[in-house]
Amino acid sequence: MELFNVYPLFDITPVKAEGCYVWDENGKKYLDLYGGHAVISIGHSHPTYVEKISTQLQQIGFYSNSVQNPLQKELAEKLGKQSGCEDYQLFLCNSGAEANENALKLASFITGKKKIISYKKGFHGRTSAAVAITDNPKIIAPVNETDNALILPFNDIDATEEALKKGDVAAVIVEGIQGIGGIYVPDTEFLTKLKQLTEKYVAVLILDEIQSGYGRSGKFFAYQHTEIKPDIVTMAKGMGNGFPIGGVLIQPEIEPWFGMLGTTFGGNHLACAAAIAVLDVMKDENLVENAEKVGNYLMDKLAAIDAAFEIRGEGLMIGLEFKQPIAEIRKKLLFDYGIFTGVSGQNIIRLLPPLSLTTEQADTFLAAFAEVLGSFAE
Ligand SMILES: *Cc1c(COP(=O)(O)O)cnc(C)c1O
């Protein structure tokens, strides 16, 4: 059978990984500043993580959500403490899109309304409601098209209020930091007013922290760079360090009823074990603080490089926007210097390394990056 060919692939076959490094089948070592698309939070194959999942699998790997699962409670407790969101409720699922899908459904259930406000350059997933509010017509199939999606200019509070005034908006969803769109940080004032307006017009404020959350921005959630308290927060990528798991944080006033949401695999024993190990390692190794420290270090050093690109981001979520396409820069970093980086559109490099990245590893990247830029400038 052939694979359904939807991904343009680099001709590299990783077979081993540890910390911020990946090795291919020929034994070549790569520095990972991409984190497998912002997924690797505590570093590849962390011994605590490997041990926790292996032990769990020997005990019980899966049972359905029809019986008690103490691991879900342990995860909720630890996540509450470490994120500073102890008063929220947690719903567990399997991916980012599924987290957003449930968040949107919840918002619609509790408000009885249908319209969703999202923003230009936003990405919220590929499932039906999530893709309908994503600003990328190429991935919206006819079956996903709906009048309920209002995609407004980013950071535009007036356009948002205009739309909210009509009274039919169930939710406003915004990324903590726009990721796939190219690393755009929402203005603090925009988020603050958004919080006030969603309260005023009785809409649910959803922060999509699927990429920007879990310590990546130097705070547990990127919105925590401000004072706002969202009604719902969605997360996934860094949560399982590669094990598929997603979560929805829900304000205490939102009351569940049996059957309101559900999933077969969500919150299973193995996924919970993985997510608990991630939180334990993040705490033991102060990885949120490290993301802030090494992120600031990287951004300061990048700003000192004599080349024309704009730097955006927070912590270890950094976008480098060039005037010209960056495909060749990225290829050279990968094949000549053994460094993985991410991309956004044609001209933005995205850095999304494991949160355990050291300043020495940052220096390795910086030296290579300066050389590559120099070689293209000649
Ligand atoms: C990746 C991503 C999603 C979708 O997550 P999947 O796990 O791929 O479904 C949603 N929102 C944001 C901001 C993302 O970065």
Side-chain angles (χ1 to χ4, degrees):
M1 196 192 300
E2 291 288 330
L3 291 170
F4 195 58
N5 190 7
V6 292
Y7 301 110
L9 300 179
F10 283 122
D11 193 14
I12 293 176
T13 308
V15 292
K16 180 175 118 110
E18 197 183 303
C20 294
Y21 296 104
V22 173
W23 286 262
D24 73 12
E25 58 186 344
N26 305 314
K28 184 174 171 186
K29 184 180 178 183
Y30 298 85
L31 178 63
D32 186 6
L33 269 90
Y34 176 48
H37 205 79
V39 164
I40 301 300
S41 47
I42 60 169
H44 292 278
S45 303
H46 193 289
T48 305
Y49 175 82
V50 173
E51 160 74 25
K52 181 98 184 163
I53 298 174
S54 315
T55 308
Q56 186 58 50
L57 184 54
Q58 282 163 15
Q59 290 165 358
I60 177 169
F62 179 84
Y63 206 80
S64 87
N65 280 313
S66 61
V67 292
Q68 300 287 334
N69 179 351
L71 290 166
Q72 293 186 356
K73 296 202 174 103
E74 183 184 343
L75 173 56
E77 193 152 308
K78 287 186 166 163
L79 176 56
K81 276 212 182 85
Q82 284 175 237
S83 66
C85 295
E86 272 169 299
D87 53 335
Y88 285 71
Q89 311 164 78
L90 173 65
F91 178 75
L92 291 166
C93 55
N94 306 286
S95 69
E98 194 186 353
N100 281 340
E101 207 72 31
N102 281 296
L104 295 169
K105 191 185 260 196
L106 262 176
S108 184
F109 267 138
I110 63 168
T111 60
K113 302 191 247 185
K114 289 184 187 172
K115 303 256 184 201
I116 307 291
I117 293 176
S118 61
Y119 293 97
K120 297 274 182 205
K121 292 201 161 82
F123 181 90
H124 300 291
R126 291 171 177 274
T127 52
S128 64
V131 82
I133 55 163
T134 287
D135 183 27
N136 182 355
K138 276 190 289 194
I139 64 170
I140 303 178
V143 69
N144 308 130
E145 285 168 11
T146 165
D147 295 339
N148 293 327
L150 309 171
I151 305 180
L152 304 180
F154 187 54
N155 271 331
D156 188 335
I157 201 67
D158 295 336
T160 305
E161 180 158 26
E162 234 14 73
L164 280 168
K165 264 185 191 158
K166 302 202 175 95
D168 55 359
V169 172
V172 178
I173 184 168
V174 61
E175 285 165 81
I177 296 173
Q178 289 190 327
I180 292 167
I183 315 292
Y184 294 94
V185 184
D187 298 337
T188 298
E189 199 192 332
F190 172 69
L191 287 183
T192 308
K193 291 213 167 127
L194 204 50
K195 173 66 188 166
Q196 292 162 2
L197 289 178
T198 47
E199 260 172 36
K200 180 172 171 191
Y201 295 105
V202 200
V204 173
L205 177 58
I206 304 171
L207 258 288
D208 179 341
E209 294 274 357
I210 288 162
Q211 186 163 156
S212 55
Y214 256 79
R216 179 147 299 282
S217 77
K219 301 270 186 202
F220 197 92
F221 292 120
Y223 77 79
Q224 291 169 334
H225 290 279
T226 76
E227 301 289 311
I228 67 156
K229 231 173 126 85
D231 300 305
I232 294 181
V233 184
T234 54
M235 67 207 74
K237 288 193 168 81
M239 188 177 189
N241 199 52
F243 202 102
I245 182 167
V248 187
L249 295 190
I250 304 157
Q251 275 268 18
E253 300 89 84
I254 300 178
E255 279 187 42
W257 63 78
F258 290 149
M260 185 189 208
L261 306 176
T263 153
T264 302
F265 297 122
N268 71 71
H269 297 69
L270 275 185
C272 284
I276 289 167
V278 167
L279 288 174
D280 288 348
V281 172
M282 282 180 79
K283 186 160 159 239
D284 289 348
E285 300 184 2
N286 297 313
L287 293 184
V288 184
E289 294 79 2
N290 190 66
E292 183 185 23
K293 185 189 85 176
V294 181
N296 286 340
Y297 177 83
L298 253 175
M299 282 196 266
D300 286 348
K301 296 277 177 173
L302 283 164
I305 293 178
D306 184 23
F309 58 88
E310 187 185 324
I311 306 164
R312 292 191 294 267
E314 303 260 22
L316 289 174
M317 185 166 181
I318 301 174
L320 308 172
E321 177 162 352
F322 289 75
K323 295 242 167 359
Q324 74 278 18
I326 48 79
E328 293 306 314
I329 296 176
R330 220 172 136 235
K331 259 193 215 155
K332 207 168 168 81
L333 278 169
L334 182 56
F335 292 106
D336 295 358
Y337 293 86
I339 298 177
F340 273 104
T341 56
V343 65
S344 180
Q346 299 295 313
N347 61 328
I348 302 171
I349 293 177
R350 262 193 306 164
L351 304 179
L352 305 158
L355 308 183
S356 54
L357 191 79
T358 64
T359 46
E360 291 74 24
Q361 288 163 336
D363 283 337
T364 302
F365 163 72
L366 288 160
F369 189 56
E371 275 190 35
V372 170
L373 293 184
S375 75
F376 283 109
E378 274 159 21

